Amino acid sequence: MSTEEEVRSLVCELCRNFYNVGWVTGTGGSISIRLGDQIFMTPSGVQKERIKPEELFVVNKAGDVLTPPACRADGTRPKLSDCSPLFLHAYNQRDAGAVLHSHGLSCNLVTLLFKDSSEFRITQQEMIKGIDGHGYYDTLVIPIIENTAWEHELADSLGEAIAKYPKAPAVLVRQHGMYVWGRSWEAAKRHAECLHYLFDSYIAIHKLGLIHLITPGEAGQKRALTDGGDAVVAKKARVAARKHKVVLLDIEGTLAPITFVKDVLFPYAAKHVDAYLHAHAQDAAVQGLVHDLVALNHQEPADVAKIAAATQLTDVATYVKHLIAQDRKVTPLKALQGLIWADGYKTGALVAPVYDDVARNFRRIVDEEDGKIAIYSSGSRQAQHLLFQYSTAGDLRPYLSAYFDTKVGLKTEALSYEEIAQTLGVNDAPEQVLFVTDILAEARAARRAGFDAYIASRPGNAAITEAHDFRVITSFDAL
């Protein structure tokens, strides 16, 4: 999405989609998407399902109208949405790429179930993982502000809530609706969909009388009372003593033998890529990856054989094998490998070995010290999920809060780690993140972003001969 015309069309498409699911009915709700310094915003009091591209306002981050919408047939001009000052808080405070305002019924009803609280809280629900910086065992907290008679009067309290809750991608307005945002329109849409699902789930679980199962802290409090006061005090001491709130881990040479990827996963993908491409030639996801691989191939030097067309799947497979042999860190290759490996894991042909100290320290960091663990690897996020799901230590995914791959940036660039800090909600305190890797250049990039960093020295890792001052660890017991 790179042109004004595309953004205008997208806003109208999303309006129709959100109308169909009940988020912007009765002329309520609003949608805005940013393109560079321009924000495209729906006007006030219009039927969202019938809105046209030329009816949008274009404003800047200061709220100045850059381009008004076209006049109606009667000569009047649409009114700028009352949501505008609220949207601008998210654009300015969170550098949002899109902000949505929903009047979904569940957004209204769920605030009544928290009538004595200024926060919606939920944990141990799968869709929490769709919220940036959150995992299954995390407690998702969405602030609730009180409604006012006029929309624009909510601006100050919404701005205060955004500042107070840096990890929240949304603010609920009691008996009204929700404002939700993301770094891109895709992220904002994903956040909105996941939050509506979680609100619906909470309401349904409340009706069934099972709310204790998803109330944060209650189960833990019961266990603590059973274990006795000393256990509570001991855990609080461990939590307080923990220097790093988030441990960000590389995979190869850090928590799994480097030989697994190069000696097992890469050869498996190379062996099966031709058959996989032909078997899944009609899959939209595979077609997209083939398109990206062909485009990448056409940028290669002259000595690399060129693929004539995306339909030449055997030639595409040959090029993939070339990329694998070179260990190229390119996104379409990593994504395709992840799909091929998924078949191998599910059939039992692949099992991911992790070091013996991994599982027990995951449990210690997460369960005993309330820390968080995230992954940053050049392998696709899908491949990461598979590795931890089918590991020799069992399914380790419940201990992981977030997964990052090269879509966030190269691991040798500081900007990548700054983006991760933003997603994790620690951009104001990046020193709370410890990054562990076996690559010196990656550790240096993380440090430039303000992270603490350790070097992992595992069996089979290449020796680091260059002088450095990073702490070197041989076991996760040191984390």
Side-chain angles (χ1 to χ4, degrees):
M1 185 184 66
S2 57
T3 69
E4 177 177 329
E5 181 180 357
E6 289 174 330
V7 177
R8 287 179 178 273
S9 296
L10 177 61
V11 170
C12 296
E13 177 187 344
L14 293 177
C15 280
R16 290 190 292 271
N17 291 343
F18 293 168
Y19 172 82
N20 289 333
V21 294
W23 297 354
V24 292
T25 56
T27 76
S30 187
I31 296 175
S32 64
I33 296 177
R34 179 168 63 86
L35 177 65
D37 295 328
Q38 297 180 308
I39 300 170
F40 296 78
M41 191 178 300
T42 56
S44 178
V46 299
Q47 303 287 340
K48 298 301 188 299
E49 73 278 16
R50 302 188 65 187
I51 196 167
K52 299 176 182 178
E54 62 270 18
E55 295 178 329
L56 302 183
F57 278 87
V58 182
V59 304
N60 59 21
K61 282 189 173 183
D64 303 317
V65 176
L66 304 178
T67 306
C71 289
R72 300 186 179 99
D74 61 3
T76 62
R77 195 182 296 277
K79 175 179 175 292
L80 181 63
S81 173
D82 285 342
C83 299
S84 176
L86 291 88
F87 283 170
L88 294 177
H89 276 298
Y91 283 115
N92 289 305
Q93 292 180 244
R94 295 293 180 83
D95 194 29
V99 188
L100 318 174
H101 177 41
S102 169
H103 278 192
L105 182 60
S106 63
C107 302
N108 182 322
L109 295 180
V110 80
T111 63
L112 297 176
L113 298 179
F114 287 82
K115 62 181 180 180
D116 296 323
S117 175
S118 60
E119 297 174 342
F120 165 82
R121 288 175 168 263
I122 193 169
T123 188
Q124 296 185 36
Q125 286 288 300
E126 180 69 13
M127 293 294 271
I128 291 175
K129 290 157 61 175
I131 307 300
D132 286 346
H134 290 77
Y136 176 79
Y137 286 100
D138 288 332
T139 297
L140 174 66
V141 181
I142 302 297
I144 303 173
I145 61 175
E146 300 303 321
N147 196 22
T148 59
W150 302 100
E151 194 98 24
H152 66 271
E153 295 175 347
L154 292 167
D156 289 344
S157 57
L158 183 134
E160 292 169 2
I162 292 176
K164 185 177 178 181
Y165 295 85
K167 287 196 64 177
V171 173
L172 283 163
V173 183
R174 197 180 307 279
Q175 296 174 252
H176 179 150
M178 172 178 65
Y179 285 84
V180 56
W181 54 86
R183 296 297 299 274
S184 64
W185 73 266
E186 295 95 336
K189 180 174 179 287
R190 168 168 45 84
H191 288 160
E193 291 168 345
C194 291
L195 287 169
H196 281 87
Y197 175 93
L198 291 168
F199 299 154
D200 287 338
S201 296
Y202 192 96
I203 293 167
I205 293 170
H206 186 274
K207 288 180 180 178
L208 294 171
L210 302 175
I211 209 67
H212 61 283
L213 298 179
I214 58 169
T215 302
E218 184 170 328
Q221 291 168 4
K222 290 180 178 178
R223 286 196 302 271
L225 291 173
T226 301
D227 294 341
D230 290 344
V232 177
V233 173
K235 180 170 182 177
K236 286 183 177 179
R238 289 194 298 270
V239 172
R242 178 152 201 89
K243 176 183 177 183
H244 303 108
K245 304 304 181 185
V246 181
V247 178
L248 181 66
L249 297 172
D250 176 39
I251 294 178
E252 304 169 41
T254 299
L255 57 79
I258 198 166
T259 53
F260 175 63
V261 174
K262 297 185 182 299
D263 295 348
V264 179
L265 289 184
F266 284 1
Y268 186 90
K271 178 180 179 181
H272 293 86
V273 62
D274 200 341
Y276 187 89
L277 288 176
H278 282 89
H280 298 271
Q282 301 306 313
D283 292 359
V286 173
Q287 290 175 350
L289 293 176
V290 168
H291 177 274
D292 293 343
L293 286 164
V294 172
L296 182 65
N297 171 261
H298 289 174
Q299 300 172 18
E300 296 279 12
D303 60 339
V304 177
K306 298 300 182 288
I307 303 170
T311 54
Q312 304 299 314
L313 295 180
T314 298
D315 292 344
V316 175
T318 300
Y319 179 56
V320 168
K321 294 174 186 178
H322 166 76
L323 295 176
I324 292 173
Q326 291 190 327
D327 192 13
R328 293 276 292 276
K329 313 291 187 183
V330 290
T331 299
L333 169 66
K334 297 300 181 182
L336 179 59
Q337 286 176 319
L339 294 174
I340 298 170
W341 293 333
D343 281 357
Y345 281 115
K346 291 173 183 176
T347 62
L350 294 173
V351 179
V354 296
Y355 291 114
D356 292 341
D357 60 347
V358 171
R360 70 170 182 270
N361 283 292
F362 275 20
R363 287 191 291 270
R364 170 179 62 84
I365 292 169
V366 175
D367 292 342
E368 299 177 20
E369 299 173 3
D370 282 354
K372 293 183 179 180
I373 302 173
I375 302 299
Y376 184 24
S377 172
S378 57
S380 68
R381 289 189 297 174
Q382 180 195 22
Q384 296 173 29
H385 277 270
L386 291 167
L387 186 146
F388 290 106
Q389 180 179 5
Y390 298 99
S391 86
T392 51
D395 190 350
L396 297 173
R397 293 175 301 167
Y399 298 104
L400 302 176
S401 296
Y403 303 82
F404 301 96
D405 59 17
T406 52
K407 287 183 179 179
V408 80
L410 297 177
K411 296 175 70 181
T412 54
E413 295 180 352
L415 284 175
S416 305
Y417 298 88
E418 293 174 7
E419 181 69 21
I420 289 173
Q422 182 78 26
T423 301
L424 293 174
V426 295
N427 49 302
D428 292 331
E431 70 280 358
Q432 293 183 355
V433 181
L434 169 63
F435 178 54
V436 186
T437 177
D438 62 318
I439 305 297
L440 183 58
E442 296 175 1
R444 286 173 170 164
R447 177 179 282 180
R448 290 197 299 274
F451 289 18
D452 198 358
Y454 291 172
I455 297 292
S457 177
R458 296 288 200 175
N461 286 9
I464 297 177
T465 57
E466 188 177 347
H468 66 83
D469 61 350
F470 291 97
R471 181 180 177 184
V472 178
I473 64 170
T474 59
S475 168
F476 279 4
D477 293 339
L479 299 180

